[in-house]
Amino acid sequence: MSTHDHSTLTATRPDFAAIAAWIPPGASVLDLGCGDGSLLRYLQGTSKVRGYGVEISDDNIVACIQNQVDVIQGDLESGLSGFESDAFDYVILSQTLQATRHTEPLMQEMLRVGREGIVSFPNFGYWRNRMDILQGNMPVSEVLPYQWYDTPNVHLCTLHDFETFCHDNKMTILDRRVMTGDSEIKLLPNLLGSTAVYRFKRAV
Amino acid sequence: MLPSYELVYETYGTLNSDKSNAVLVCHALSGNHHVAGYYVDDMKNVGWWDTMIGPGKPIDTEKFFVIGLNNLGGCHGSTGPISINPATGKPYGASFPVVTVEDWVESQARLADKLGIAQFAAVLGGSLGGMQALQWSLAYPERVRHVLAIASAPRLTAQNIAFNDVARNAILTDPDFYGGDYYEHGVVPTRGLRLARMLGHITYLSNDAMADKFGRGLRSDKYSYSYDIDFEIESYLRYQGDKFAAYFDANTYLLMTKALDYFDPAREYDDDLNKAFATARANFLVLSFTTDWRFAPERSRAIVKALLHNHLKVSYAEITSTHGHDSFLMQHTHYHNVMSAYFDNIASEFTA
């Protein structure tokens, strides 16, 4: 079983607590690239959400079912055509944005299917990443655990990049949490924060 | 209308004290009540879903009370066209009514009444069996907690109906069919039934599976330049056709394919499947197989979409398999892992 209790889970994934804080009880949630279903299981426990995950990997489908999380097998890169417009309160993409190829259409799809979108991603502008680059190496860290040759991450960005992207794509950012480990970063977030979580919606 | 009918069924495992661990297995076109295990006096007669059902298997008969039945109109012991009509003393034959998936579910519910089962832990099936499981969620939403539709569809496509109609025509045009009353002529429409099965069998396999298993392999090392059997695939299909025609009833085959064609719960809701599932309350597991072109994954995804629309709990897995529609009957590690995980959850909801 890949079940975690809440305290160890939020220690390993501090973005989960930030996401949970935004989601009111009873909300409907679609978690894209949900892995073993940990986030949805956590949200079902904390917020009594009605949620489904979307996953491509066979092993994760089994893990989700074992975690008693409803999961739909599918490939995010081919869009969300299996989901109706405005079907969910929140569509979440946690620590997956940077690994998507068709990032721009997927972000649009999130706001077609959901009222609001939530994404979390590793901030490439974090000072340790900048130091690695300055020293001439691609960053490898707890948040970016891959070598350049085996990384699934194809679309890494900084906080600034993401905010520009939202502006250019007519998406309004509603809220932001920036963290390093489990402590929140308020000062110079694009430099001092290793992980960012955003909540956004369609600009009107 | 039938004045009365009998259903033959088998059970596996033990019904628990509050009768909350019952699982109903619905069979497909050629299936029957013998879903698992074998008989002491007939050890070679292994149930058609023995890979899935039994002690320690995904549907664990040490936890669940599993029921397999032969559907009304079948030819394995339940009342069907081959049965004697008490009013005439002769087999029903052509006078046996066409039965539908809805009729089957109705008769299955009466069986459940007889067995004192108010609510099934799960109703499941593959293909036509999956349609019955879906119908359970619509007709008896309070009587089933989990519905598993495997390699199934919310209704057949035109292409799928076309295959069924060619199969039926093979039977209907066999000179030995006698309008369905062949029993009294002491013959069976073997040629038609055999052709129907050969055609069906092609559609249950994938192109790749056939290529892998037979390729262009020859029975001898040279062409015969005649219309005898040259290729292994011809030999295989004829063997399958002969085997099937020897034990299956042609009228039952007609009836089963027609039930497949007619099933369409959205029909009375302006073809809106979302509306059809509005009454459903069960939790669902929907499974499809990548190389199944007779009941393709997109047909299963249409079911999932309607369930999501109705805010029902559903999981969906698309199993990578080379065996086409027949995959649902096969041993397959990932498929069985998904089933085990799902049935473990069902088992955690009741106390032994």
Side-chain angles (χ1 to χ4, degrees):
Chain A
M1 291 286 278
S2 44
T3 314
H4 311 281
D5 69 56
H6 289 172
S7 55
T8 56
L9 193 61
T10 47
T12 52
R13 289 293 300 271
D15 57 325
F16 283 8
I19 293 169
W22 285 334
I23 295 182
S28 59
V29 174
L30 185 66
D31 184 10
L32 305 177
C34 67
D36 66 3
S38 297
L39 174 60
L40 281 169
R41 191 178 169 94
Y42 175 72
L43 292 174
Q44 282 165 1
T46 55
S47 314
K48 302 278 177 255
V49 302
R50 185 175 62 77
Y52 304 89
V54 179
E55 247 301 318
I56 191 167
S57 123
D58 285 349
D59 288 346
N60 277 334
I61 295 294
V62 176
C64 283
I65 294 173
Q66 286 171 338
N67 274 324
Q68 305 197 333
V69 164
D70 288 325
V71 63
I72 310 295
Q73 191 160 24
D75 183 1
L76 299 179
E77 301 294 356
S78 50
L80 302 176
S81 60
F83 300 95
E84 295 176 338
S85 297
D86 300 314
F88 294 92
D89 297 323
Y90 298 92
V91 178
I92 300 172
L93 190 64
S94 75
Q95 299 292 353
T96 303
L97 179 80
Q98 72 279 1
T100 60
R101 279 177 189 282
H102 306 103
T103 309
E104 200 174 331
L106 180 60
M107 288 278 288
Q108 301 288 359
E109 275 283 86
M110 287 176 73
L111 292 182
R112 175 185 67 79
V113 169
R115 201 165 48 80
E116 292 183 8
I118 294 174
V119 300
S120 68
F121 58 87
N123 173 27
F124 204 70
Y126 180 49
W127 69 272
R128 284 184 186 275
N129 298 337
R130 298 189 196 200
M131 287 297 287
D132 282 340
I133 300 275
L134 268 178
Q135 287 166 3
N137 298 309
M138 281 299 284
V140 178
S141 65
E142 203 176 330
V143 182
L144 290 170
Y146 303 99
Q147 296 290 341
W148 64 271
Y149 49 82
D150 68 1
T151 181
N153 298 332
V154 290
H155 285 151
L156 289 160
C157 67
T158 69
L159 271 60
H160 286 166
D161 294 330
F162 184 78
E163 288 170 17
T164 305
F165 172 88
C166 286
H167 179 263
D168 293 348
N169 284 278
K170 301 193 167 43
M171 295 170 185
T172 305
I173 292 168
L174 300 168
D175 214 337
R176 180 183 79 182
R177 290 277 183 284
V178 184
M179 288 159 292
T180 298
D182 53 3
S183 43
E184 188 164 353
I185 304 296
K186 302 255 187 193
L187 183 73
L188 298 173
N190 198 37
L191 186 63
L192 301 180
S194 69
T195 300
V197 196
Y198 284 88
R199 187 162 65 88
F200 55 98
K201 66 172 188 177
R202 277 179 294 256
V204 279
Chain B
M1 282 288 277
L2 289 170
S4 65
Y5 60 86
E6 288 179 13
L7 294 178
V8 60
Y9 65 94
E10 286 183 5
T11 70
Y12 315 80
T14 311
L15 189 61
N16 60 7
S17 56
D18 63 354
K19 301 183 177 181
S20 58
N21 68 337
V23 171
L24 178 67
V25 178
C26 305
H27 69 73
L29 190 63
S30 58
N32 54 51
H33 53 288
H34 183 40
V35 299
Y38 54 84
Y39 306 112
V40 175
D41 58 355
D42 186 4
M43 311 247 298
K44 283 186 179 162
N45 186 0
V46 178
W48 58 267
W49 221 0
D50 190 65
T51 53
M52 188 65 76
I53 301 163
K57 292 179 182 175
I59 304 175
D60 190 342
T61 49
E62 285 169 7
K63 297 175 186 164
F64 293 98
F65 177 67
V66 178
I67 302 166
L69 85 160
N70 185 211
N71 278 345
L72 187 61
C75 54
H76 290 90
S78 292
T79 303
I82 202 166
S83 308
I84 301 295
N85 180 351
T88 63
K90 291 194 291 187
Y92 282 100
S95 71
F96 196 88
V98 169
V99 294
T100 62
V101 169
E102 290 85 340
D103 296 330
W104 283 334
V105 167
E106 205 57 46
S107 65
Q108 290 159 3
R110 292 185 194 181
L111 174 63
D113 293 342
K114 288 265 183 202
L115 297 172
I117 295 159
Q119 187 188 57
F120 282 106
V123 176
L124 77 157
S127 190
L128 177 58
M131 289 175 166
Q132 293 159 59
L134 293 174
Q135 177 61 25
W136 261 94
S137 75
L138 307 178
Y140 293 103
E142 309 302 329
R143 294 193 70 173
V144 54
R145 294 198 296 279
H146 294 269
V147 163
L148 291 87
I150 303 166
S152 195
R155 63 176 171 196
L156 294 192
T157 59
Q159 186 194 48
N160 215 328
I161 293 170
F163 282 123
N164 283 342
D165 194 48
V166 174
R168 280 192 296 270
N169 263 283
I171 294 167
L172 294 169
T173 57
D174 186 317
D176 286 340
F177 182 63
Y178 291 104
D181 291 321
Y182 44 87
Y183 314 103
E184 54 198 83
H185 291 85
V187 291
V188 285
T190 309
R191 283 164 291 182
L193 187 55
R194 181 171 173 270
L195 276 177
R197 183 59 172 179
M198 286 167 75
L199 171 70
H201 209 93
I202 297 167
T203 70
Y204 304 148
L205 299 175
S206 70
N207 188 20
D208 286 350
M210 244 191 227
D212 284 352
K213 194 166 175 184
F214 307 103
R216 290 181 52 85
L218 295 170
R219 281 225 302 175
S220 63
D221 55 358
K222 51 181 188 283
Y223 291 175
S224 72
Y225 294 102
S226 75
Y227 301 118
D228 293 336
I229 294 174
D230 281 313
F231 295 96
E232 291 287 0
I233 183 62
E234 296 175 295
S235 167
Y236 172 79
L237 278 179
R238 290 182 197 200
Y239 170 74
Q240 290 294 333
D242 287 337
K243 196 172 79 166
F244 187 73
Y247 76 85
F248 207 83
D249 179 57
N251 278 319
T252 292
Y253 199 89
L254 294 175
L255 176 150
M256 296 277 173
T257 57
K258 210 64 190 175
L260 267 166
D261 293 1
Y262 284 145
F263 183 67
D264 182 6
R267 189 165 178 261
E268 58 183 297
Y269 297 97
D270 301 325
D271 291 327
D272 186 344
L273 195 62
N274 291 344
K275 285 187 192 149
F277 276 103
T279 55
R281 293 292 172 270
N283 300 335
F284 290 81
L285 179 65
V286 180
L287 302 180
S288 70
F289 298 89
T290 49
T291 52
D292 183 353
W293 55 280
R294 187 89 197 250
F295 288 78
E298 54 259 41
R299 311 299 300 137
S300 283
R301 286 198 292 263
I303 298 169
V304 172
K305 202 167 183 178
L307 299 174
L308 287 171
H309 176 88
N310 286 293
H311 299 176
L312 292 159
K313 287 177 70 64
V314 52
S315 284
Y316 169 66
E318 205 163 297
I319 314 284
T320 303
S321 165
T322 56
H323 295 288
H325 187 52
D326 271 351
S327 300
F328 84 88
L329 297 166
M330 305 279 188
Q331 178 75 45
H332 181 296
T333 303
H334 174 56
Y335 169 36
H336 284 210
N337 286 345
V338 169
M339 292 291 282
S340 292
Y342 197 83
F343 271 91
D344 283 349
N345 286 346
I346 300 177
S348 72
E349 294 167 1
F350 58 76
T351 47

